[in-house]
Amino acid sequence: MMEPRPAPPLQDVDNQELENLLSSLPKERGIIPSYSYQYQGFWYSPITLQGIINCQKYFQPRENDIFLVTSPKSGTTWLKAILFALVNREAHPPQDPHHPLLSKTPHQLVPFLEFLHPSEYDSLCNSSDSSSRIFATHISLGTLPKAITGDSGSLNCKIVYLCRDIKDTFVSLFHFGNNKKTSPISLEDAFNLYCKGISSAGPIWDQILGYWKESQKNQHKVLFMRYEEMKDEPYLQLRRLANFLGIPFSQEEESSGLVDQIISICSFESMTKVDVNKTGTFVDGFNNSSFFRKGVVGDWKNCLTADMASRLDQITEEKFRGSGLSL
Ligand code: A3P
């Protein structure tokens, strides 16, 4: 059982506190934000850091909270939609013409923990069970609030970790960053920063490895998923996810075609037809539509030179050597 912690009085991290923290941290040009700061071994934008400090101080998990963790551009938006549709399938059957995914973005339904104000943690209402919430985050395992990871490293909540081929993830990030056009970066500069590990929530390899190792130690608490497997065998992966979350599909659900209906409402083709995903902005000036580009496996071939691809492969191989993980 989780130890209930007394809730500290709510207070946003103040500007001076953030300024003091930022001035004490290593700083580099970022791929997406103008500058990234290295905090507890990982690179984050100032706005993300503010959210991290807030949740480290104030977040109070519930035992049945679900956390979706990813590196940016690994398919977060897709898995947010799938998790929402899966967890809420009774209250919102996927064929409901008023399904929330048809009027809200996956980011509205499953927000990022680090972009929430502390006063919003409890008002989150994205699960049919009022005591269960779904959050997403890019925060590394070691930087997650101790209230989630537990003081002894025994996780208090379930974590679904999604990763993607590093080359595709980088290419997706590069296009995403340059979508905004306020601070364009060349492919070469972005690539060099990425290889040095300087990208949002990077080094990506270290972030993946942290959760990979935890998933090996703690299979009931961390489910390790891959974008490519979701693409290849969505039915199987969705069942795996439902089983892990303790909400397996019943015989009736399977035979009624419910699994396929969830896959369908969350598919790239369906989601890109939804008005709210085509218009409006997310945070920091990004358009909702910029979270949907091609949604395919292997697009790196259209962007990276053979040298760039082999450099990323080589780093990945070196970083993951001995871990049992390959991407
Ligand atoms: P591409 O840029 O390669 O197309 P994130 O959600 O983590 O920001 O990741 C965005 C990537 O996921 C983008 O990849 C985007 O097109 C892809 N994506 C978004 N929705 C998807 C879906 N329903 N199915 C498959 N891929 C999707």
Side-chain angles (χ1 to χ4, degrees), residues 42 70-72 74 161 163-167 169-170 194 197-210 312 316 319-320 327:
F42 291 83
T70 62
S71 277
S74 308
Y161 186 81
C163 72
R164 185 183 190 186
D165 174 86
I166 304 278
K167 301 186 289 302
T169 308
F170 166 70
Y194 204 77
I198 306 169
S199 63
S200 313
I204 184 169
W205 300 276
D206 299 9
Q207 199 239 34
I208 296 173
L209 263 185
L312 273 183
T316 303
K319 288 271 195 177
F320 291 172
L327 275 189

PDB file of all heavy atoms in Angstrom, residues 42 70-72 74 161 163-167 169-170 194 197-210 312 316 319-320 327:
ATOM      1  N   PHE A  42      19.491  15.131 -17.561  1.00  0.00           N
ATOM      2  CA  PHE A  42      18.682  15.191 -18.785  1.00  0.00           C
ATOM      3  C   PHE A  42      18.384  16.643 -19.162  1.00  0.00           C
ATOM      4  O   PHE A  42      18.401  17.521 -18.301  1.00  0.00           O
ATOM      5  CB  PHE A  42      17.373  14.405 -18.584  1.00  0.00           C
ATOM      6  CG  PHE A  42      17.613  12.922 -18.476  1.00  0.00           C
ATOM      7  CD1 PHE A  42      17.986  12.345 -17.263  1.00  0.00           C
ATOM      8  CD2 PHE A  42      17.520  12.095 -19.594  1.00  0.00           C
ATOM      9  CE1 PHE A  42      18.246  10.984 -17.161  1.00  0.00           C
ATOM     10  CE2 PHE A  42      17.779  10.733 -19.504  1.00  0.00           C
ATOM     11  CZ  PHE A  42      18.142  10.177 -18.292  1.00  0.00           C
ATOM     12  N   THR A  70       7.253   8.599 -22.641  1.00  0.00           N
ATOM     13  CA  THR A  70       7.859   8.492 -23.973  1.00  0.00           C
ATOM     14  C   THR A  70       8.991   9.503 -24.090  1.00  0.00           C
ATOM     15  O   THR A  70       9.082  10.428 -23.292  1.00  0.00           O
ATOM     16  CB  THR A  70       6.841   8.877 -25.077  1.00  0.00           C
ATOM     17  OG1 THR A  70       6.461  10.238 -24.869  1.00  0.00           O
ATOM     18  CG2 THR A  70       5.609   8.004 -25.071  1.00  0.00           C
ATOM     19  N   SER A  71       9.783   9.336 -25.139  1.00  0.00           N
ATOM     20  CA  SER A  71      10.633  10.434 -25.585  1.00  0.00           C
ATOM     21  C   SER A  71       9.805  11.199 -26.604  1.00  0.00           C
ATOM     22  O   SER A  71       9.003  10.583 -27.328  1.00  0.00           O
ATOM     23  CB  SER A  71      11.892   9.907 -26.275  1.00  0.00           C
ATOM     24  OG  SER A  71      12.850   9.582 -25.316  1.00  0.00           O
ATOM     25  N   PRO A  72       9.987  12.520 -26.703  1.00  0.00           N
ATOM     26  CA  PRO A  72       9.205  13.265 -27.687  1.00  0.00           C
ATOM     27  C   PRO A  72       9.328  12.653 -29.079  1.00  0.00           C
ATOM     28  O   PRO A  72      10.427  12.257 -29.490  1.00  0.00           O
ATOM     29  CB  PRO A  72       9.835  14.666 -27.648  1.00  0.00           C
ATOM     30  CG  PRO A  72      10.451  14.762 -26.292  1.00  0.00           C
ATOM     31  CD  PRO A  72      10.900  13.379 -25.940  1.00  0.00           C
ATOM     32  N   SER A  74       7.895   9.861 -30.203  1.00  0.00           N
ATOM     33  CA  SER A  74       7.896   8.389 -30.272  1.00  0.00           C
ATOM     34  C   SER A  74       6.511   7.824 -30.516  1.00  0.00           C
ATOM     35  O   SER A  74       6.334   6.606 -30.512  1.00  0.00           O
ATOM     36  CB  SER A  74       8.393   7.795 -28.954  1.00  0.00           C
ATOM     37  OG  SER A  74       9.590   8.346 -28.574  1.00  0.00           O
ATOM     38  N   TYR A 161       5.606   2.458 -21.088  1.00  0.00           N
ATOM     39  CA  TYR A 161       6.692   3.161 -21.760  1.00  0.00           C
ATOM     40  C   TYR A 161       6.666   2.819 -23.257  1.00  0.00           C
ATOM     41  O   TYR A 161       6.641   1.658 -23.638  1.00  0.00           O
ATOM     42  CB  TYR A 161       8.065   2.776 -21.167  1.00  0.00           C
ATOM     43  CG  TYR A 161       9.145   3.624 -21.782  1.00  0.00           C
ATOM     44  CD1 TYR A 161       9.378   4.908 -21.333  1.00  0.00           C
ATOM     45  CD2 TYR A 161       9.866   3.175 -22.890  1.00  0.00           C
ATOM     46  CE1 TYR A 161      10.319   5.735 -21.950  1.00  0.00           C
ATOM     47  CE2 TYR A 161      10.804   3.988 -23.513  1.00  0.00           C
ATOM     48  CZ  TYR A 161      11.017   5.262 -23.027  1.00  0.00           C
ATOM     49  OH  TYR A 161      11.929   6.086 -23.642  1.00  0.00           O
ATOM     50  N   CYS A 163       8.635   3.399 -26.928  1.00  0.00           N
ATOM     51  CA  CYS A 163       9.809   3.937 -27.631  1.00  0.00           C
ATOM     52  C   CYS A 163       9.672   3.668 -29.126  1.00  0.00           C
ATOM     53  O   CYS A 163       8.757   2.963 -29.571  1.00  0.00           O
ATOM     54  CB  CYS A 163      11.101   3.353 -27.084  1.00  0.00           C
ATOM     55  SG  CYS A 163      11.339   1.658 -27.552  1.00  0.00           S
ATOM     56  N   ARG A 164      10.591   4.245 -29.876  1.00  0.00           N
ATOM     57  CA  ARG A 164      10.520   4.170 -31.337  1.00  0.00           C
ATOM     58  C   ARG A 164      11.938   4.149 -31.878  1.00  0.00           C
ATOM     59  O   ARG A 164      12.867   4.659 -31.221  1.00  0.00           O
ATOM     60  CB  ARG A 164       9.782   5.429 -31.827  1.00  0.00           C
ATOM     61  CG  ARG A 164       9.514   5.481 -33.296  1.00  0.00           C
ATOM     62  CD  ARG A 164       8.837   6.792 -33.679  1.00  0.00           C
ATOM     63  NE  ARG A 164       8.378   6.735 -35.062  1.00  0.00           N
ATOM     64  CZ  ARG A 164       7.853   7.759 -35.718  1.00  0.00           C
ATOM     65  NH1 ARG A 164       7.706   8.927 -35.121  1.00  0.00           N
ATOM     66  NH2 ARG A 164       7.479   7.631 -36.975  1.00  0.00           N
ATOM     67  N   ASP A 165      12.105   3.635 -33.060  1.00  0.00           N
ATOM     68  CA  ASP A 165      13.407   3.652 -33.719  1.00  0.00           C
ATOM     69  C   ASP A 165      14.021   5.054 -33.582  1.00  0.00           C
ATOM     70  O   ASP A 165      13.349   6.053 -33.848  1.00  0.00           O
ATOM     71  CB  ASP A 165      13.225   3.309 -35.203  1.00  0.00           C
ATOM     72  CG  ASP A 165      14.513   3.458 -35.984  1.00  0.00           C
ATOM     73  OD1 ASP A 165      15.296   2.495 -36.013  1.00  0.00           O
ATOM     74  OD2 ASP A 165      14.747   4.554 -36.544  1.00  0.00           O
ATOM     75  N   ILE A 166      15.288   5.082 -33.165  1.00  0.00           N
ATOM     76  CA  ILE A 166      15.914   6.381 -32.849  1.00  0.00           C
ATOM     77  C   ILE A 166      15.992   7.274 -34.091  1.00  0.00           C
ATOM     78  O   ILE A 166      15.802   8.489 -34.010  1.00  0.00           O
ATOM     79  CB  ILE A 166      17.353   6.160 -32.298  1.00  0.00           C
ATOM     80  CG1 ILE A 166      17.321   5.228 -31.081  1.00  0.00           C
ATOM     81  CG2 ILE A 166      18.037   7.487 -32.001  1.00  0.00           C
ATOM     82  CD1 ILE A 166      16.972   5.848 -29.782  1.00  0.00           C
ATOM     83  N   LYS A 167      16.251   6.705 -35.234  1.00  0.00           N
ATOM     84  CA  LYS A 167      16.407   7.519 -36.457  1.00  0.00           C
ATOM     85  C   LYS A 167      15.064   8.166 -36.824  1.00  0.00           C
ATOM     86  O   LYS A 167      15.000   9.348 -37.152  1.00  0.00           O
ATOM     87  CB  LYS A 167      16.938   6.657 -37.618  1.00  0.00           C
ATOM     88  CG  LYS A 167      18.291   6.000 -37.309  1.00  0.00           C
ATOM     89  CD  LYS A 167      18.879   5.263 -38.492  1.00  0.00           C
ATOM     90  CE  LYS A 167      18.168   3.977 -38.866  1.00  0.00           C
ATOM     91  NZ  LYS A 167      18.069   2.944 -37.845  1.00  0.00           N
ATOM     92  N   THR A 169      12.645   8.731 -34.739  1.00  0.00           N
ATOM     93  CA  THR A 169      12.310   9.687 -33.675  1.00  0.00           C
ATOM     94  C   THR A 169      13.029  11.013 -33.920  1.00  0.00           C
ATOM     95  O   THR A 169      12.439  12.092 -33.809  1.00  0.00           O
ATOM     96  CB  THR A 169      12.703   9.115 -32.286  1.00  0.00           C
ATOM     97  OG1 THR A 169      12.142   7.814 -32.153  1.00  0.00           O
ATOM     98  CG2 THR A 169      12.191   9.988 -31.161  1.00  0.00           C
ATOM     99  N   PHE A 170      14.302  10.920 -34.286  1.00  0.00           N
ATOM    100  CA  PHE A 170      15.048  12.151 -34.553  1.00  0.00           C
ATOM    101  C   PHE A 170      14.446  12.920 -35.732  1.00  0.00           C
ATOM    102  O   PHE A 170      14.232  14.134 -35.663  1.00  0.00           O
ATOM    103  CB  PHE A 170      16.541  11.862 -34.818  1.00  0.00           C
ATOM    104  CG  PHE A 170      17.221  13.053 -35.427  1.00  0.00           C
ATOM    105  CD1 PHE A 170      17.443  14.201 -34.672  1.00  0.00           C
ATOM    106  CD2 PHE A 170      17.563  13.070 -36.779  1.00  0.00           C
ATOM    107  CE1 PHE A 170      18.007  15.345 -35.241  1.00  0.00           C
ATOM    108  CE2 PHE A 170      18.125  14.199 -37.357  1.00  0.00           C
ATOM    109  CZ  PHE A 170      18.346  15.341 -36.586  1.00  0.00           C
ATOM    110  N   TYR A 194      21.593  16.187 -31.174  1.00  0.00           N
ATOM    111  CA  TYR A 194      20.902  14.934 -30.824  1.00  0.00           C
ATOM    112  C   TYR A 194      21.916  13.850 -30.464  1.00  0.00           C
ATOM    113  O   TYR A 194      21.752  13.131 -29.484  1.00  0.00           O
ATOM    114  CB  TYR A 194      20.040  14.489 -32.004  1.00  0.00           C
ATOM    115  CG  TYR A 194      18.883  13.601 -31.625  1.00  0.00           C
ATOM    116  CD1 TYR A 194      17.745  14.127 -31.055  1.00  0.00           C
ATOM    117  CD2 TYR A 194      18.927  12.229 -31.877  1.00  0.00           C
ATOM    118  CE1 TYR A 194      16.655  13.325 -30.720  1.00  0.00           C
ATOM    119  CE2 TYR A 194      17.842  11.414 -31.549  1.00  0.00           C
ATOM    120  CZ  TYR A 194      16.715  11.974 -30.973  1.00  0.00           C
ATOM    121  OH  TYR A 194      15.648  11.170 -30.644  1.00  0.00           O
ATOM    122  N   GLY A 197      23.207  14.015 -27.217  1.00  0.00           N
ATOM    123  CA  GLY A 197      22.207  13.764 -26.170  1.00  0.00           C
ATOM    124  C   GLY A 197      21.397  14.994 -25.818  1.00  0.00           C
ATOM    125  O   GLY A 197      20.539  14.955 -24.933  1.00  0.00           O
ATOM    126  N   ILE A 198      21.683  16.124 -26.525  1.00  0.00           N
ATOM    127  CA  ILE A 198      21.005  17.379 -26.170  1.00  0.00           C
ATOM    128  C   ILE A 198      19.716  17.522 -26.983  1.00  0.00           C
ATOM    129  O   ILE A 198      19.699  18.094 -28.066  1.00  0.00           O
ATOM    130  CB  ILE A 198      21.943  18.584 -26.374  1.00  0.00           C
ATOM    131  CG1 ILE A 198      23.237  18.351 -25.598  1.00  0.00           C
ATOM    132  CG2 ILE A 198      21.261  19.868 -25.930  1.00  0.00           C
ATOM    133  CD1 ILE A 198      24.340  19.333 -25.917  1.00  0.00           C
ATOM    134  N   SER A 199      18.653  16.929 -26.460  1.00  0.00           N
ATOM    135  CA  SER A 199      17.327  17.050 -27.068  1.00  0.00           C
ATOM    136  C   SER A 199      16.334  16.946 -25.927  1.00  0.00           C
ATOM    137  O   SER A 199      16.690  16.466 -24.847  1.00  0.00           O
ATOM    138  CB  SER A 199      17.096  15.931 -28.083  1.00  0.00           C
ATOM    139  OG  SER A 199      17.123  14.686 -27.446  1.00  0.00           O
ATOM    140  N   SER A 200      15.094  17.384 -26.139  1.00  0.00           N
ATOM    141  CA  SER A 200      14.104  17.397 -25.046  1.00  0.00           C
ATOM    142  C   SER A 200      14.052  16.036 -24.359  1.00  0.00           C
ATOM    143  O   SER A 200      13.805  15.024 -25.020  1.00  0.00           O
ATOM    144  CB  SER A 200      12.719  17.721 -25.598  1.00  0.00           C
ATOM    145  OG  SER A 200      12.804  18.817 -26.465  1.00  0.00           O
ATOM    146  N   ALA A 201      14.310  16.042 -23.058  1.00  0.00           N
ATOM    147  CA  ALA A 201      14.309  14.825 -22.227  1.00  0.00           C
ATOM    148  C   ALA A 201      15.407  13.843 -22.634  1.00  0.00           C
ATOM    149  O   ALA A 201      15.353  12.678 -22.275  1.00  0.00           O
ATOM    150  CB  ALA A 201      12.946  14.146 -22.223  1.00  0.00           C
ATOM    151  N   GLY A 202      16.386  14.332 -23.403  1.00  0.00           N
ATOM    152  CA  GLY A 202      17.500  13.481 -23.800  1.00  0.00           C
ATOM    153  C   GLY A 202      18.612  13.529 -22.787  1.00  0.00           C
ATOM    154  O   GLY A 202      18.560  14.318 -21.848  1.00  0.00           O
ATOM    155  N   PRO A 203      19.628  12.705 -22.901  1.00  0.00           N
ATOM    156  CA  PRO A 203      19.906  11.788 -23.997  1.00  0.00           C
ATOM    157  C   PRO A 203      18.826  10.710 -24.126  1.00  0.00           C
ATOM    158  O   PRO A 203      18.516  10.022 -23.144  1.00  0.00           O
ATOM    159  CB  PRO A 203      21.243  11.144 -23.607  1.00  0.00           C
ATOM    160  CG  PRO A 203      21.819  12.010 -22.522  1.00  0.00           C
ATOM    161  CD  PRO A 203      20.687  12.671 -21.854  1.00  0.00           C
ATOM    162  N   ILE A 204      18.306  10.572 -25.326  1.00  0.00           N
ATOM    163  CA  ILE A 204      17.201   9.635 -25.537  1.00  0.00           C
ATOM    164  C   ILE A 204      17.578   8.215 -25.106  1.00  0.00           C
ATOM    165  O   ILE A 204      16.775   7.490 -24.529  1.00  0.00           O
ATOM    166  CB  ILE A 204      16.707   9.663 -27.009  1.00  0.00           C
ATOM    167  CG1 ILE A 204      15.480   8.756 -27.175  1.00  0.00           C
ATOM    168  CG2 ILE A 204      17.798   9.324 -28.005  1.00  0.00           C
ATOM    169  CD1 ILE A 204      14.758   8.903 -28.496  1.00  0.00           C
ATOM    170  N   TRP A 205      18.837   7.838 -25.348  1.00  0.00           N
ATOM    171  CA  TRP A 205      19.259   6.470 -25.025  1.00  0.00           C
ATOM    172  C   TRP A 205      19.169   6.228 -23.515  1.00  0.00           C
ATOM    173  O   TRP A 205      18.739   5.177 -23.079  1.00  0.00           O
ATOM    174  CB  TRP A 205      20.688   6.240 -25.518  1.00  0.00           C
ATOM    175  CG  TRP A 205      20.818   6.428 -26.996  1.00  0.00           C
ATOM    176  CD1 TRP A 205      20.566   5.516 -27.967  1.00  0.00           C
ATOM    177  CD2 TRP A 205      21.196   7.643 -27.679  1.00  0.00           C
ATOM    178  NE1 TRP A 205      20.768   6.071 -29.213  1.00  0.00           N
ATOM    179  CE2 TRP A 205      21.157   7.367 -29.068  1.00  0.00           C
ATOM    180  CE3 TRP A 205      21.558   8.925 -27.266  1.00  0.00           C
ATOM    181  CZ2 TRP A 205      21.471   8.320 -30.035  1.00  0.00           C
ATOM    182  CZ3 TRP A 205      21.872   9.875 -28.216  1.00  0.00           C
ATOM    183  CH2 TRP A 205      21.831   9.575 -29.585  1.00  0.00           C
ATOM    184  N   ASP A 206      19.600   7.242 -22.747  1.00  0.00           N
ATOM    185  CA  ASP A 206      19.595   7.088 -21.284  1.00  0.00           C
ATOM    186  C   ASP A 206      18.164   7.025 -20.764  1.00  0.00           C
ATOM    187  O   ASP A 206      17.855   6.275 -19.838  1.00  0.00           O
ATOM    188  CB  ASP A 206      20.328   8.258 -20.608  1.00  0.00           C
ATOM    189  CG  ASP A 206      21.786   8.340 -21.046  1.00  0.00           C
ATOM    190  OD1 ASP A 206      22.157   7.605 -21.985  1.00  0.00           O
ATOM    191  OD2 ASP A 206      22.551   9.131 -20.477  1.00  0.00           O
ATOM    192  N   GLN A 207      17.290   7.838 -21.389  1.00  0.00           N
ATOM    193  CA  GLN A 207      15.887   7.828 -20.947  1.00  0.00           C
ATOM    194  C   GLN A 207      15.271   6.456 -21.214  1.00  0.00           C
ATOM    195  O   GLN A 207      14.639   5.863 -20.356  1.00  0.00           O
ATOM    196  CB  GLN A 207      15.105   8.933 -21.676  1.00  0.00           C
ATOM    197  CG  GLN A 207      13.808   9.315 -20.980  1.00  0.00           C
ATOM    198  CD  GLN A 207      12.598   9.106 -21.882  1.00  0.00           C
ATOM    199  OE1 GLN A 207      12.590   8.177 -22.687  1.00  0.00           O
ATOM    200  NE2 GLN A 207      11.591   9.946 -21.739  1.00  0.00           N
ATOM    201  N   ILE A 208      15.517   5.931 -22.423  1.00  0.00           N
ATOM    202  CA  ILE A 208      14.958   4.610 -22.772  1.00  0.00           C
ATOM    203  C   ILE A 208      15.515   3.535 -21.843  1.00  0.00           C
ATOM    204  O   ILE A 208      14.770   2.709 -21.302  1.00  0.00           O
ATOM    205  CB  ILE A 208      15.266   4.246 -24.244  1.00  0.00           C
ATOM    206  CG1 ILE A 208      14.587   5.235 -25.201  1.00  0.00           C
ATOM    207  CG2 ILE A 208      14.835   2.814 -24.558  1.00  0.00           C
ATOM    208  CD1 ILE A 208      14.970   5.055 -26.673  1.00  0.00           C
ATOM    209  N   LEU A 209      16.841   3.562 -21.660  1.00  0.00           N
ATOM    210  CA  LEU A 209      17.473   2.513 -20.849  1.00  0.00           C
ATOM    211  C   LEU A 209      16.935   2.468 -19.421  1.00  0.00           C
ATOM    212  O   LEU A 209      16.742   1.388 -18.860  1.00  0.00           O
ATOM    213  CB  LEU A 209      18.984   2.746 -20.782  1.00  0.00           C
ATOM    214  CG  LEU A 209      19.858   1.976 -21.761  1.00  0.00           C
ATOM    215  CD1 LEU A 209      21.328   2.240 -21.472  1.00  0.00           C
ATOM    216  CD2 LEU A 209      19.584   0.460 -21.704  1.00  0.00           C
ATOM    217  N   GLY A 210      16.717   3.656 -18.851  1.00  0.00           N
ATOM    218  CA  GLY A 210      16.190   3.713 -17.485  1.00  0.00           C
ATOM    219  C   GLY A 210      14.889   2.933 -17.380  1.00  0.00           C
ATOM    220  O   GLY A 210      14.705   2.092 -16.485  1.00  0.00           O
ATOM    221  N   LEU A 312      24.005   7.218 -35.919  1.00  0.00           N
ATOM    222  CA  LEU A 312      22.971   7.012 -34.880  1.00  0.00           C
ATOM    223  C   LEU A 312      22.887   5.539 -34.477  1.00  0.00           C
ATOM    224  O   LEU A 312      22.774   5.215 -33.302  1.00  0.00           O
ATOM    225  CB  LEU A 312      21.604   7.487 -35.380  1.00  0.00           C
ATOM    226  CG  LEU A 312      21.264   8.963 -35.174  1.00  0.00           C
ATOM    227  CD1 LEU A 312      19.852   9.257 -35.652  1.00  0.00           C
ATOM    228  CD2 LEU A 312      21.405   9.380 -33.713  1.00  0.00           C
ATOM    229  N   THR A 316      23.528   4.006 -30.756  1.00  0.00           N
ATOM    230  CA  THR A 316      22.483   3.176 -30.140  1.00  0.00           C
ATOM    231  C   THR A 316      23.070   1.823 -29.717  1.00  0.00           C
ATOM    232  O   THR A 316      22.838   1.348 -28.600  1.00  0.00           O
ATOM    233  CB  THR A 316      21.313   2.953 -31.127  1.00  0.00           C
ATOM    234  OG1 THR A 316      20.822   4.241 -31.530  1.00  0.00           O
ATOM    235  CG2 THR A 316      20.188   2.162 -30.508  1.00  0.00           C
ATOM    236  N   LYS A 319      25.395   2.324 -26.676  1.00  0.00           N
ATOM    237  CA  LYS A 319      24.665   2.677 -25.444  1.00  0.00           C
ATOM    238  C   LYS A 319      23.895   1.474 -24.891  1.00  0.00           C
ATOM    239  O   LYS A 319      23.785   1.315 -23.688  1.00  0.00           O
ATOM    240  CB  LYS A 319      23.664   3.795 -25.728  1.00  0.00           C
ATOM    241  CG  LYS A 319      24.303   5.149 -25.954  1.00  0.00           C
ATOM    242  CD  LYS A 319      24.464   5.889 -24.644  1.00  0.00           C
ATOM    243  CE  LYS A 319      24.757   7.359 -24.892  1.00  0.00           C
ATOM    244  NZ  LYS A 319      24.844   8.126 -23.640  1.00  0.00           N
ATOM    245  N   PHE A 320      23.350   0.654 -25.782  1.00  0.00           N
ATOM    246  CA  PHE A 320      22.484  -0.440 -25.323  1.00  0.00           C
ATOM    247  C   PHE A 320      23.240  -1.754 -25.121  1.00  0.00           C
ATOM    248  O   PHE A 320      22.650  -2.740 -24.684  1.00  0.00           O
ATOM    249  CB  PHE A 320      21.329  -0.667 -26.310  1.00  0.00           C
ATOM    250  CG  PHE A 320      20.314   0.463 -26.347  1.00  0.00           C
ATOM    251  CD1 PHE A 320      19.311   0.493 -27.303  1.00  0.00           C
ATOM    252  CD2 PHE A 320      20.350   1.495 -25.405  1.00  0.00           C
ATOM    253  CE1 PHE A 320      18.376   1.527 -27.338  1.00  0.00           C
ATOM    254  CE2 PHE A 320      19.423   2.537 -25.429  1.00  0.00           C
ATOM    255  CZ  PHE A 320      18.439   2.545 -26.405  1.00  0.00           C
ATOM    256  N   LEU A 327      17.287  -1.568 -30.692  1.00  0.00           N
ATOM    257  CA  LEU A 327      16.251  -0.778 -31.370  1.00  0.00           C
ATOM    258  C   LEU A 327      16.617  -0.630 -32.818  1.00  0.00           C
ATOM    259  O   LEU A 327      17.794  -0.440 -33.137  1.00  0.00           O
ATOM    260  CB  LEU A 327      16.155   0.639 -30.765  1.00  0.00           C
ATOM    261  CG  LEU A 327      15.294   0.861 -29.525  1.00  0.00           C
ATOM    262  CD1 LEU A 327      15.168   2.346 -29.242  1.00  0.00           C
ATOM    263  CD2 LEU A 327      13.911   0.260 -29.680  1.00  0.00           C
TER     264      LEU A 327
END
